[in-house]
Amino acid sequence: MSTAIESLREQTRGEVLTADDAGYDEARAVYNAMHDRHPLGVVRCMDAADVIAAVGFGRENGLDLAVRGGGHSVPGFGTSDGGLVIDLSPMRNVQVDPAGSVARVGGGAVLGDLDHATHAFGLATTGGVISTTGVSGLTLGGGIGYLARRHGLSCDNLLSADVVTADGRLLTASERQNEDLFWALRGGGGNFGVVTSLEFQLHPVGEIVGGPIFFELDAAADVMRAYRDYIAKAPEELGAFFCFQIAPPLPFIPEDRHGDTLCALVTCWTGPPAEADTVLEPLRSAGPIVAEHVGPMPYPALNSAFDGLLPAGLQHYWKADFVKELTDDAIDAHFEHGPKVPCVQSTMHMYPINGAVHRVGSDETAFAYRDVDFACVIAGMWPDPADTEANTQWVREYYAAIHPHSGTDGGYVNFMGSDDEDRVAANYGGNYERLAKIKAIYDPDNLFHLNQNIQPAK
Ligand SMILES: Cc1cc2nc3c(=O)[nH]c(=O)nc-3n(C[C@H](O)[C@H](O)[C@H](O)COP(=O)(O)OP(=O)(O)OC[C@H]3O[C@@H](n4cnc5c(N)ncnc54)[C@H](O)[C@@H]3O)c2cc1C
């Protein structure tokens, strides 16, 4: 194999790192420290030509191919034992066309790269709530963030993507070219090839008014109910998610409350700043406030506000559900388990699925769950491996309590953990069969299988 690796090195501009090379340990590491794997090689792709060479090498040598953008996959899909990692992290360039309100984004860019480049022009598009998450991985699964109620999911803002397919071709997918592939990329995950660049619709979003409001834990059920009722009809310029959160030692939280378990609403208002207080009032009055840090700030500041809490190298164990209707019984179950959150990084987030996300039909893109009210994730995230049992147990028991109330079988593919393989078909909902047919066209041998895997239709 070493001769073959040499031939791959000759074909690529980016480095190919194996166990004999300095930097291998850094190159093989992914965000979730639970996946301490040893791939045969990591190809740090500089361009689409490198990706084509790596895909061809993996295919011809029968290697497991792991495609890595930002490396945030909780099940550790961005690495493998003995396989080949196609690492796109050198491809982070973002080009903005301010006149056309469009950004072209490299396949390895993270959300912070996209926010930074677009904010200079007072523009943005929907992304997640942590700036180190990969744009590609997030968008291919859907992409839920503060702007989704107003502007749709990240995948709803995708205009085109360049994709290296299993046979080594570079295809452009859009509404006009390879339409079936374009449909599948918007929610079908990394199943269809390696995305080398993405083109996004941008929107005028510059300064926002937002930040977290922390409430007394005793009021959590009332706060959740008020959030549920208000976010269904609030102006779409408001993004907000509910969470259970141990108070971190931040200056705006009274020192004697640091370490207390609280609940919080994290808000983002992109409408006229003068209207922010009126719009936020129904949330602020949902319960007794312990602390808040809501104010005007650049959109990228909110999108990176929690990065410090969640550095690379924590252990992650997550479970997720789409929620058809957040019933009072479900809220009781949340109120029983949320307050037991074991550490400051672990949390439960409840994101709204409504507004612009509902205006796209369930079969218009591969993201099927357009008719639910929320996406819920119980995210165990902890620094010390000695706490693995406590955190995984909390996630499992919490999930077991709320799942019967969710009204759906599936969860958001990007929030799925490592041991939910039996839920994959349900996670793609009514679109699974069509996805399997498209998989059979573009990846009939399932070369790209380290993902929320869709089996090619027979
Ligand atoms: C701390 C944290 C916060 C998060 N917050 C949010 C959030 O606010 N909203 C949200 O929607 N999701 C969120 N997520 C989930 C996130 O969307 C997924 O973990 C996503 O898969 C991450 O993409 P990545 O590129 O960073 O991951 P990677 O591990 O690099 O890749 C994950 C998957 O995406 C595929 N993939 C990645 N890049 C490419 C590419 N260029 N071409 C083809 N396939 C590719 C891979 O096949 C792999 O299956 C969060 C995750 C974490 C860990």
Side-chain angles (χ1 to χ4, degrees), residues 268-444:
C268 176
W269 169 249
T270 60
E275 293 173 19
D277 280 339
T278 310
V279 168
L280 291 173
E281 199 283 324
L283 297 181
R284 281 193 173 117
S285 60
I289 294 176
V290 176
E292 75 158 69
H293 192 58
V294 175
M297 66 178 90
Y299 172 70
L302 181 62
N303 255 355
S304 53
F306 307 109
D307 290 5
L309 194 62
L310 300 173
L314 304 178
Q315 347 285 309
H316 291 250
Y317 180 78
W318 294 19
K319 282 197 177 290
D321 255 351
F322 284 115
V323 180
K324 185 95 178 129
E325 187 193 342
L326 187 59
T327 60
D328 286 343
D329 287 347
I331 290 176
D332 289 346
H334 279 284
F335 194 45
E336 188 187 341
H337 291 271
K340 298 179 190 161
V341 56
C343 72
V344 67
Q345 291 87 0
S346 288
T347 186
M348 187 290 295
H349 286 187
M350 183 75 74
Y351 293 96
I353 301 287
N354 59 34
V357 184
H358 277 187
R359 285 196 287 279
V360 178
S362 289
D363 60 355
E364 280 184 59
T365 70
F367 187 95
Y369 286 89
R370 303 282 183 171
D371 54 351
V372 298
D373 286 347
F374 294 98
C376 164
V377 60
I378 307 160
M381 307 185 270
W382 62 101
D384 186 348
D387 296 333
T388 297
E389 181 61 26
N391 279 275
T392 51
Q393 188 76 0
W394 173 70
V395 174
R396 286 193 178 121
E397 287 175 2
Y398 193 158
Y399 178 72
I402 59 162
H403 178 65
H405 302 285
S406 294
T408 67
D409 292 331
Y412 174 36
V413 285
N414 278 348
F415 286 164
M416 285 289 134
S418 316
D419 56 359
D420 277 320
E421 279 175 8
D422 56 331
R423 297 182 67 201
V424 171
N427 297 337
Y428 293 110
N431 288 330
Y432 187 80
E433 266 179 47
R434 185 169 169 198
L435 282 163
K437 284 185 187 144
I438 298 172
K439 176 85 172 169
I441 297 169
Y442 291 97
D443 186 16

Side-chain angles (χ1 to χ4, degrees), residues 31 67-74 77-78 88 107 128-130 133-134 136-138 140 143-144 190 193-195 310 316 318 351 412 414-415 450-451:
Y31 187 78
V67 181
R68 189 192 302 166
H72 269 208
S73 160
V74 169
F77 291 136
L88 298 161
V129 301
I130 299 287
T133 306
S136 293
L138 176 124
L140 295 173
I144 298 171
V194 185
V195 172
L310 300 173
H316 291 250
W318 294 19
Y351 293 96
Y412 174 36
N414 278 348
F415 286 164
L450 294 178
N451 44 44

